[in-house]
Amino acid sequence: MSDNQASSTPVEPSSVESSNEQTTHFGFKQVEKEQKASLVANVFDSVAAKYDVMNDLMSMGVHRLWKRFTIDCSGVRAGNKVLDIAGGTGDLTAKFSRLVGPTGRVTLADINLSMLQVGRDKLRDRGLVGNIDYVQADAEALPFPDNHFDVVTMAFGLRNVTEKQNALNSIFRVLKPGGRLLVLEFSKPTSEQLSKLYDMYSFHLLPKMGQLVANDAESYQYLAESIRMHPDQETLKGMFEEAGFEQCDYQNLTGGIVALHRGYKF
Amino acid sequence: MPASALFAATLEQSINKVLALDSESESRLAELNGSRLIAFLSPMPFGITLVFSDRVDVLIEHDDFESVKAQLGPKDCCIKTSLDTLPELRETSQLTRLIQQKALYLEGELGVAQQVSGVFQNLDIDVEELLAVRTSDVFAHQSVESIKALHQKVMSMLTDARSVVGNAMVEEKKIAAHKLAVMHFSDEVSALRDSTERLDARLRDLEERFK
Ligand SMILES: C[S@@+](CC[C@H](N)C(=O)[O-])C[C@H]1O[C@@H](n2cnc3c(N)ncnc32)[C@H](O)[C@@H]1O
């Protein structure tokens, strides 16, 4: 029994990852850098249809509060231009669309067409039309002009990006001076106890739920692993600063299971 | 996890559910489309923003009154007072004193606060009856009571907001005097038009009789 537990305790191969510049992590696996985007694409192609249901189920609805907090911190105003990058099925976009009103504009951008399509259908069904643009785009090379957006948000997207620093640099470029970036992402629980509980949940329960509801244990195994491989709060804050963001800070949510990072471009 | 987000989510759901019970709400909300009402009610540690579109979004305002005041848009109204002071706002005679004592601050487009209070005050629903149709047990009764309590609370807050605006129109001419004067004038014009139409109808009636 104890052997069993030991063997199922996840150990992230971080040292291996940093030793080879041609490879990167895809969950706990090492893959060629060029491969990662298409592997991530497969994951989200596979989960797109059931994404919203699974989100509610996995987080017990709490992801809605995390997102709400993100919007509260966005300082978005009527008439603003907002980019929701890796916006997927558009939860943040939906709210931003009402907040910026008819004089503002929201761009829902995602690398994955399946996720964008689910998002577009959902928002249209809710009557949200008129101030939303849907753009297929890679966060690492955003196809928008310099100094264009007042606010950029990225919720649960950054950990899937191959070169995270490139994505932050690219976002910095498209933000207007005075604009802000908010990154909502899984992070490192602040207490040891919570961390253990969370590991049990994400490595044991989550893939089973994925199997049961979405018939896709593998994608949810990737989710758990990718969370583990994502930089912790302080590291990500350093990456924000490296991209040029100022007044960077972060707020731990639900004991650090998730963190909201914020930075300004001046 | 921030409790404020849960609070905002609950408030937002309640407000929209209540509004959805009256079919007239849609047209009343349309008039407010794009407006915001921001309320700082101490000792609540944060402000609450109501954003109007085809529904009401509730945001938690983490900035303070001064920075919000500096960023008000043309369709925004901001109120700052304390929960303790709210009951006093009903007294017209107290308003000037409260403003002078800095116990009450009003900024921005006051008409927004007036319209918001109109949206809630004109609600034409029987919440209890509506819910009683769907539920019949004790739990349902309790739910009805708590929804009514919440509804009343929202109504009373907005009544206060309305009386603040109404009274400010009468008493505090210095506050946005131009806008208030225009609003007051248009109210008077409507009233005058109504009386003229009534008089006109009576004259026509008399003419008919003496023909
Ligand atoms: C977990 S979903 C999050 C969706 C949404 N933001 C939310 O919070 O519900 C992650 C999204 O990131 C997108 N994504 C992954 N890599 C990306 C990249 N390089 N550029 C843009 N989007 C990417 C995926 O397609 C997916 O839709």
Side-chain angles (χ1 to χ4, degrees), chain A residues 37 40-41 44 51-52 55 63 67 84-92 109-113 115-116 137-140 142 154-162 167 184 186 223:
Chain A
V40 169
F44 288 102
Y51 179 79
D52 284 343
N55 246 0
H63 75 102
K67 287 173 180 166
D84 180 17
I85 178 70
T89 57
D91 283 349
L92 291 180
D110 199 290
I111 202 168
N112 188 293
L113 203 57
M115 291 291 280
L116 266 182
D138 183 349
E140 287 190 47
L142 291 169
M154 191 174 200
F156 306 111
L158 190 61
R159 69 173 190 284
N160 302 296
V161 174
T162 310
L184 181 68
F186 290 105
L223 171 70

Side-chain angles (χ1 to χ4, degrees), chain B:
Chain B
M1 199 216 8
S4 58
L6 185 60
F7 169 78
T10 313
L11 185 63
E12 183 177 297
Q13 252 195 352
S14 313
I15 290 177
N16 285 299
K17 276 197 177 137
V18 168
L19 290 178
L21 296 173
D22 182 356
S23 55
E24 297 291 309
S25 295
E26 206 178 313
S27 57
R28 290 188 201 119
L29 279 177
E31 288 168 26
L32 273 166
N33 200 343
S35 308
R36 288 169 190 250
L37 179 68
I38 306 135
F40 289 89
L41 304 171
S42 61
M44 280 175 72
F46 44 74
I48 301 165
T49 301
L50 304 183
V51 185
F52 296 88
S53 57
D54 56 343
R55 48 171 278 146
V56 179
D57 285 285
V58 177
L59 302 183
I60 298 298
E61 195 57 68
H62 295 284
D63 287 343
D64 61 10
F65 178 72
E66 289 305 319
S67 28
V68 169
K69 199 173 94 176
Q71 297 171 43
L72 286 181
K75 290 169 99 181
D76 296 346
C77 177
C78 190
I79 293 174
K80 181 184 166 194
T81 187
S82 73
L83 283 170
D84 291 345
T85 310
L86 275 183
E88 287 186 61
L89 302 186
R90 291 207 176 93
E91 300 289 324
T92 312
S93 55
Q94 301 301 308
L95 277 180
T96 312
R97 178 180 62 81
L98 289 172
I99 292 172
Q100 277 166 358
Q101 288 177 347
K102 300 188 187 309
L104 168 68
Y105 297 84
L106 281 166
E107 290 290 335
E109 181 51 59
L110 302 178
V112 169
Q114 195 187 36
Q115 274 179 306
V116 173
S117 75
V119 167
F120 289 92
Q121 292 208 324
N122 293 330
L123 277 176
D124 184 20
I125 43 174
D126 187 339
V127 180
E128 188 159 358
E129 194 185 300
L130 257 168
L131 292 175
V133 172
R134 298 177 200 182
T135 54
S136 55
D137 55 12
V138 175
F139 176 74
H141 177 69
Q142 281 171 348
S143 307
V144 169
E145 290 306 306
S146 39
I147 289 171
K148 273 174 74 180
L150 179 70
H151 181 225
Q152 263 169 10
K153 184 120 194 129
V154 171
M155 293 283 280
S156 97
M157 278 169 68
L158 287 160
T159 307
D160 292 336
R162 181 176 196 145
S163 76
V164 170
V165 173
N167 294 330
M169 283 183 185
V170 179
E171 290 227 327
E172 205 49 43
K173 300 242 167 34
K174 277 183 210 146
I175 303 172
H178 173 65
K179 283 179 204 153
L180 290 173
V182 171
M183 278 157 58
H184 187 59
F185 176 70
S186 67
D187 280 353
E188 281 185 341
V189 170
S190 312
L192 187 64
R193 195 183 52 220
D194 288 350
S195 331
T196 322
E197 276 167 7
R198 271 200 303 276
L199 188 64
D200 190 36
R202 252 189 250 153
L203 282 173
R204 265 187 275 122
D205 189 34
L206 280 172
E207 268 174 23
E208 285 297 314
R209 280 197 216 167
F210 288 105
K211 261 185 190 169

